[in-house]
Amino acid sequence: MRGVVMHAPGDVRVEDRGDPEIIHPTDAIIKMSATCICGSDLWPYRGADDVHDAPMGHEYVGIVEEVGSDVRNVRRGQFVVGSFVASDNTCEICRAGYQSRCVHAELMGHIGTQAQYARIPLADGTLVATPETPPAEMIPSLLAASDVLGTGWFAAVAAEAGPGKTVAVVGDGAVGLLGVLAARQLGAERVIAMSRHPDRQALAREFGATDIVEERGDEGVARIRDLTNGLGAHSVVEAVGTQQSMMQAISCTRPGGHVGFVGLSHDVALPGDELFSSMVHLHGGLAPVRRFLPELIRLIWDGEINPGKVFDLNLPLQDAAEGYKAMDERRAVKVLLTV
Amino acid sequence: MRGVVMHAPGDVRVEDRGDPEIIHPTDAIIKMSATCICGSDLWPYRGADDVHDAPMGHEYVGIVEEVGSDVRNVRRGQFVVGSFVASDNTCEICRAGYQSRCVHAELMGHIGTQAQYARIPLADGTLVATPETPPAEMIPSLLAASDVLGTGWFAAVAAEAGPGKTVAVVGDGAVGLLGVLAARQLGAERVIAMSRHPDRQALAREFGATDIVEERGDEGVARIRDLTNGLGAHSVVEAVGTQQSMMQAISCTRPGGHVGFVGLSHDVALPGDELFSSMVHLHGGLAPVRRFLPELIRLIWDGEINPGKVFDLNLPLQDAAEGYKAMDERRAVKVLLTV
């Protein structure tokens, strides 16, 4: 089969990779319908993470091609969405809703779903089938559920977005924009998107943002305070992962408020005294997307949300290298690869 | 009146200070029954915080001597307990339970309650009267409510200690020991005190600890994992405030678990990547003791808890310098000063 391999920073190629096979009886093989490029794939692309000849990709939707002998919950021919972390969904950590830290967790990024087929470990605990085979126009939204929607949703839940709350969102990438959508769906009264890009501002408004703040850093914090009687937001979603964005998120939050952080942390060190005096709740990390998948699929299936709008460039798998380049140069928010 | 002044690190004297007076109509003056020395008073005593000729003390119980014209909730002659942070208890932040970050908050430490009298700002929002004048033997416990009990309680609440939970407590000072008591009162199934001092272990057991772990750092973390099926504790109370204790607390907590931290943070920097991968909830800071005071007073009044046992040295106010020395040399856990 054909699949994406990153040989070195900036060197992405689509080439022949061996066809995946069932290794464990709990595995499934799926034939990819669509996959995509993640903002986190840009870290190795830009040389911030080590990379050598690595299969790429961790987001996926597709048709079950084959299942191992122990698989009970999905069957050949079903259309499935899965989390970017495989999980058994039965251990104590999974049952508490933290499937991304399942005691048997496997990162799909190590398998590489930017490909025609993929082996999905722990299929019963990882995959969720849609009611029927979805129409083509629904596929981008279902694909979004695999990571960026689930991650934005987790951030909003971790930030305790809900009725009566003012939620600020730091970061206007796909995850931040879907954090806006999630906050609104969870009932937030006011959702403030922090963005200085007109096209992303427009999508944020479409997803439910009530206010836009263009300022960053201390000025951004001051604007959020202006908008909240000087107190700060109840809830803040952090979807960048830098020192500046984390401190901006914490400083935008009122005492007793909640920060949900999902930006993959790079060179961040939180000063203990500032955290102590801020009195915020801090929660985040690798989103347990599997917790939210059934609900997210239902919302998409019923047409209540359309998160697939974050994909603003659609390419065939064969052109993946161009997709990486477009995201690296910020010409695209998120690239969908049709298989 | 007589009161404690710290002239420089290690230089504590009891001397004449001006009698306090009502400054604002929301003030009260109380005649101290007892006050005490806090672990946090040792930071300046040891030179870690700047100090010059500072009145000391922020914990207090006593009899209302005089009230300003706007005070409605307490009256002359009542026995009162107050938080170590004065708060209006009416602003939006107070109403959310974060009185230590009240928009009008004043730190009692700036006033100095190691004295015969003290002015209490915002008396209506800060002080809580006991049902009657308490018997002498109850005074240590009521005094503990003013800070160390309230702080340990907040830490346990922030760590979401409760039924079915395993709670680990990092730190065996007065706050950590009362974190043990709080965790047990909140219904925790198992409370693991991390302590290597036999006398503190004994008090931890008396307060409800079910297990003692003597190891620290990585070995301490490994022991907590051994005791929790390899998963880590559900809830961890951090009551020290150093880099090692914070990382120990985070590492002892299972994914999705809760860390409540109240150790006054000194030179702590939390690595973003470790926080990201830990997937713990982190919450803490300056305890909003006022939130818990009515309940804590009730528990003490009804004889359900006896937090005053953390005081293991009782001195007259005049001998405060000896009290500081005893705590500095770890000859005493916590020193009560009788006025």
Side-chain angles (χ1 to χ4, degrees), chain B residues 91-274:
Chain B
C91 76
E92 203 171 327
I93 302 298
C94 280
R95 291 200 313 273
Y98 286 86
Q99 290 91 340
S100 52
R101 287 295 310 277
C102 169
V103 298
H104 297 117
E106 288 190 50
L107 290 171
M108 290 303 300
H110 294 159
I111 288 174
T113 62
Q114 290 164 4
Q116 291 179 296
Y117 294 87
R119 181 179 69 88
I120 313 295
L122 304 166
D124 274 346
T126 305
L127 299 173
V128 179
T130 55
E132 301 167 40
T133 300
E137 64 271 19
M138 201 184 276
I139 286 181
S141 287
L142 292 168
L143 178 61
S146 182
D147 180 353
V148 277
L149 172 61
T151 295
W153 199 274
F154 169 62
V157 168
E160 301 216 343
K165 300 275 187 85
T166 293
V167 181
V169 177
V170 178
D172 62 0
V175 171
L177 292 168
L178 291 169
V180 168
L181 178 150
R184 197 61 176 192
Q185 281 288 319
L186 291 164
E189 186 173 306
R190 193 172 188 184
V191 183
I192 308 169
M194 303 187 85
S195 169
R196 49 179 61 181
H197 302 93
D199 51 339
R200 296 176 187 223
Q201 292 174 2
L203 193 49
R205 287 207 185 269
E206 198 174 331
F207 283 159
T210 54
D211 302 80
I212 303 285
V213 164
E214 298 208 340
E215 293 83 352
R216 286 189 198 173
D218 289 347
E219 286 178 24
V221 172
R223 283 285 296 133
I224 298 291
R225 293 198 175 273
D226 284 348
L227 292 168
T228 54
N229 297 323
L231 301 177
H234 299 94
S235 302
V236 177
V237 165
E238 191 287 331
V240 182
T242 63
Q243 183 74 19
Q244 189 196 22
S245 65
M246 279 294 274
M247 294 317 298
Q248 184 175 323
I250 291 169
S251 304
C252 283
T253 310
R254 66 179 58 193
H258 293 77
V259 176
F261 68 98
V262 291
L264 198 52
S265 194
H266 276 73
D267 298 323
V268 172
L270 301 181
D273 52 352
E274 291 192 40

Side-chain angles (χ1 to χ4, degrees), chain A residues 92-93 98 100-101 103 154 229 231 234 254-256 261-265 268-273 275-286 288, chain B residues 92-93 98 100-101 103 154 229 231 234 254-256 261-265 268-273 275-286 288:
Chain A
E92 201 171 327
I93 302 297
Y98 287 86
S100 52
R101 288 294 310 277
V103 298
F154 170 61
N229 296 323
L231 301 177
H234 299 93
R254 66 179 58 193
F261 68 97
V262 290
L264 198 54
S265 193
V268 172
L270 302 182
D273 52 352
L275 204 57
F276 188 92
S277 64
S278 74
M279 293 212 71
V280 302
H281 298 75
L282 197 57
H283 183 45
L286 210 62
Chain B
E92 203 171 327
I93 302 298
Y98 286 86
S100 52
R101 287 295 310 277
V103 298
F154 169 62
N229 297 323
L231 301 177
H234 299 94
R254 66 179 58 193
F261 68 98
V262 291
L264 198 52
S265 194
V268 172
L270 301 181
D273 52 352
L275 205 56
F276 189 93
S277 64
S278 74
M279 293 212 71
V280 303
H281 298 75
L282 196 57
H283 183 45
L286 210 60

